[in-house]
Amino acid sequence: QENILYYGAEVYYFPQLNNIDYAHIIGRFGINFGLDRYDTFKVFTGFRGGRIMRGSKFAYALLGGEIGLQYNLPNTNLYAIISGSIDSRTDSKYYSNNDNITVNSVWVRLGIKL
């Protein structure tokens, strides 16, 4: 994690989701800034983009955005994040007549800074 910019990757695999394997690889980047001088609370917002696998091919695109709040527990390496994302996905053609769908997600993460 950087002081102004952030970046990262997300890899996800769900075997037999609706009777077919699903996976995605997403790159994430954006800005973050502290709400106080100790960076106890940080806000971040950015973009997400990647590829989705249905069956055996990474043939579908994903593009979206995210926003969140991070709380760094003072005097420890522990943190908690709540965030939301909006993704436009083109894998809906695989199982419906829609060219793309929008998926809204909420994430809660707990972690340790190394």
Side-chain angles (χ1 to χ4, degrees):
Q1 179 170 328
E2 305 294 329
N3 289 327
I4 297 173
L5 297 176
Y6 75 88
Y7 51 89
E10 178 179 313
V11 178
Y12 185 81
Y13 177 67
F14 193 135
Q16 295 300 305
L17 176 63
N18 297 325
N19 298 320
I20 187 108
D21 289 347
Y22 169 88
H24 70 226
I25 298 173
I26 296 173
R28 306 165 51 237
F29 71 94
I31 60 170
N32 71 93
F33 52 92
L35 297 178
D36 62 357
R37 69 184 214 179
Y38 303 108
D39 283 341
T40 304
F41 290 97
K42 293 184 98 168
V43 174
F44 62 91
T45 186
F47 298 97
R48 301 160 46 88
R51 301 297 284 178
I52 299 169
M53 180 187 80
R54 287 289 189 167
S56 61
K57 295 182 183 176
F58 278 99
Y60 304 96
L62 178 146
L63 185 61
E66 62 186 10
I67 189 167
L69 176 67
Q70 177 174 327
Y71 172 70
N72 297 309
L73 191 63
N75 303 316
T76 72
N77 290 337
L78 304 175
Y79 65 91
I81 296 174
I82 184 164
S83 63
S85 65
I86 299 173
D87 296 324
S88 180
R89 306 162 46 119
T90 61
D91 66 324
S92 58
K93 267 290 205 207
Y94 197 84
Y95 54 86
S96 74
N97 291 327
N98 298 327
D99 287 337
N100 61 39
I101 61 169
T102 299
V103 176
N104 302 309
S105 302
V106 174
W107 307 88
V108 175
R109 294 176 270 182
L110 304 173
I112 300 172
K113 294 180 188 177
L114 301 176

